[in-house]
Amino acid sequence: MSSTFVTLSSGMKMPMVGLGTWKTTPEQVREAVLCALDAGYRHIDCAAIYGNEKDVGEALKERVGPGKSIPREELFMTSKLWNTKHHPDDVEPACRKTLEDLGLAYLDLYLMHWPMAFERGNLEMPKNDDGTMRYADIHYKDTWRAMENLVTKGLVKAIGLSNFNARQIDDILSVAKHKPVVNQVECHPYLAQKELMAHCSRNRIQLIAYSPLGAPSRPWACPDERSLLDDPQILNVAEKLKKTPAQVILRWQVQRGVACIPKSAKPSRIKENIQVFDFTLSDEDIKKMESLNCNKRLTVPPIEVNGQSEWRDAKNPFFPFHDTY
Ligand code: NDP
Ligand code: 1BO
């Protein structure tokens, strides 16, 4: 049986399943977080760019801290530094803003959201007239050094990466005094990330799977695309085990040692998604799941939403998915 926690290279314990909060509206997220905490979640994945950290903070106030049902030390809170805040002078203010919004004295984990810096300022998606992004010439190694100061100052317990490829991880490792403890990347049965996972594991970096359910409601999904949750092989395993497709997918991840942060705003699904520690996939089930890998990246630029080009445009030299893994 897989453990519900993983011990990170810093010695901290991180719950293997956390609640994702991207695209959960500020109106929904308080209820979602309360439901998750009551269902046993102790790991919440946040980010400044999700625009809902104040509302996450409202829920935390109700359940966490002195006199409340959950001691702060039991909770594992992650947030992420947005791309417009990569300049070393902007890193600490950005982290302090997140702490204030969440109502916390420290974060357990702070991630560099992407290896690409956008133009500094308060516009989250600074764009040129032609719709392309306005980037900034700030290397992620310099941003990392500034993030290390947050550990030294006690604002965050550990720092990590998100959307970094193997070469970029090595760049960070070549300068790091505080090693990245995780890399959070897209990962699901259609994008199993075996090579990146092995690279991370060699460097004691824990992989966290984002979009673990294949982000079925992402705005840029093709209308006729079959959702991962409807894949016949997964349905077949789910029927056999009397579990849901989401549970089979999440179980597969935790059983292979990958942490996941499924998002839901629906109480029944929030509860369902953490019920993955009371059953095991057989070797045969795992083979079936592994046969689904086709390196299909769902979050890949350029993405068109309603005819508009999204910010993820591949021209930036730091764009992580030029490399194989
Ligand atoms: P997920 O793969 O978690 O899918 C979320 C979608 O699946 C929602 O539409 C949700 O709908 C639905 N869903 C959830 N549970 C079930 C279930 N049991 N059965 C059927 N449908 C279900 O996608 P995300 O892209 O949201 O990824 C998860 C989290 O990862 C994010 O919320 C965010 O925290 C993080 N993330 C990080 C990124 C990064 O760059 N570091 C990028 C993308 C995500 P409903 O809410 O209606 O239940
Ligand atoms: C726009 C940010 C991607 C989700 O983490």
Side-chain angles (χ1 to χ4, degrees), residues 44 264 310:
I44 314 282
S264 179
E310 276 276 275

Side-chain angles (χ1 to χ4, degrees), residues 20-23 45 50 80 113-114 162-163 184 210-217 229 246 261-266 269 272-273:
T21 60
W22 183 34
K23 293 185 261 82
D45 183 76
Y50 300 164
K80 312 187 192 87
H113 208 145
W114 288 84
S162 175
N163 294 300
Q184 185 184 111
Y210 76 62
S211 303
L213 305 176
S217 63
L229 291 165
I261 44 171
K263 172 264 173 186
S264 179
K266 295 200 167 66
R269 289 175 174 174
E272 170 187 328
N273 293 345

